[in-house]
Each structure stands twice: as structure tokens, then as C-alpha cells.
Amino acid sequence: MKSFLFTNTFFEEELSSLSPFSLLQLLQKHPLYMQLQYLSCFLTSSSEIPLLSHAPDPLYLAHLRNIGLAPSSFALLGDPPILSCLSSWGFSKSLSHWAQEKKCSYPHPDPQVIYKIQSKDFSFSSFPQPKNSQKIANSQDLTSWWNSFSGPKVLKTLFGSSGRGHFVSTGQAIDLPKAIAFFARNIDKSPALIAQPWLTRTLDFSSQWDIAQDGTVSYLGATICENSIHGVYKK
């Protein structure tokens, strides 16, 4: 019996969510999440079948077939065959619940290890940071840090990607109440913020990690990214 692959590129957003969502609700949170699930159509191995929310467009399958990447078949979340084993792009609480309902094996590392590695606190604590960088745990720390140096500043929630979950300011005193409000608004899903001077940059990098079933963490490498001036991923 073959295993199934589900490409859940929403996994970072799900990690920071306080409310439970179904898989379809998570896919519908952003058009890219819905589109990128179809990566499974050419990422699957010969022993895997793509698991999708909706059937792929026939033209998409025809294109994959022309370049030799079309899957032999696919399965749908709403009408799955008998499943034996399931894997995904990243750990998903919703997918885990779905697998339990379908009596399907969904092996994954300890979620607490996944949360630790995915959090910005991990990279902040493990690697050198720009001068004046600090982890902020309360509004008093934020006020003290804000007044400790001049210039543009950025606050980042512990979970988020591509410029999402950020507060960017010129660093003027008039923006401090907005920064405190940003902290208060995110405290439930991000118990701390990463506070750093805002740097003018055009390139960034994303570190890639592998977490084995036993919780062993291995660094794979870094992916260079081109950003907008606001820190949003471009290519």
C-alpha cells in the first residue's frame, strides 16, 4: 500500500495559530497555500501519491506529463482511499487530527522540538546578531530598548515568514506607543519579540534544517533570497 504526501506550505502560520483550523481552512488563508499544495504532484517519489484538496487542472497535469513529472495518480482529502502512511512538508496539527480520523499513520518528530527549531528565538540564540539586537519579553524592556539607540527599528514575532509578523519603524519616539500596541496584540501567540535595528538590505537567507523522528536536528544549509525593501521575499 502506497504512502501519501501533502504539501502544507502553511505550516509556519499554523504553528503560531491559537485557534484550530481544518486543512481546507488553512489552505484558503492565502492563495499561495492553495496553489503550492500541487508541488506534491512532482515531489512525490515512486512509492508516494499526492494528497490534494481539489483535483489538479487537466492542463497542469498535461504539462507535467510532457516533462515527465506527472504523478501516476492522486488522492483527495474529501474522498481519500484507504491510507497507510502520510508525510507532509512540515508538521501540521490539523493534518495529524485528519490522519487520526482516517486511521492513517503520520510519523513526525516531537512537536515541541519542531516549535523550538522553527521559532526565531532559536536562530536568535544560536547565531551572531546585529548590534543592539534584543529579545523583548515585556513592554518595559521594549521601552528601554527603543530609547537606547536612534535609527530605524524592526520588531519580529517568534513565528512568521517573508516579512509577515513584523513591525517596522523609523525609530522615532512617536512610534513607541504603536510598537507597544504591536507587542500587546501578539503576546498570546508570541510570548516574546525579537527586536533589531532595521538594516537596508536586498539579500537575505533562510536556513534549512532536518528534524529526524528521534528529535535529532541537522543543519542542511542556507538558501539565499532576494527581498523587497520591506523584507518580503521576492525570489
Side-chain angles (χ1 to χ4, degrees), residues 4 23 51 76-81 83 86 92-104:
F4 295 79
L23 290 173
L51 183 61
L76 298 179
L77 288 169
D79 186 27
L83 305 177
L86 176 63
S92 167
K93 293 178 289 186
S94 297
L95 190 59
S96 179
H97 294 154
W98 185 89
Q100 290 176 10
E101 291 176 356
K102 305 301 179 184
K103 295 181 172 54
C104 171

Side-chain angles (χ1 to χ4, degrees), residues 209-221:
W209 302 81
D210 177 73
I211 306 175
Q213 293 297 315
D214 63 0
T216 302
V217 179
S218 302
Y219 173 67
L220 300 179

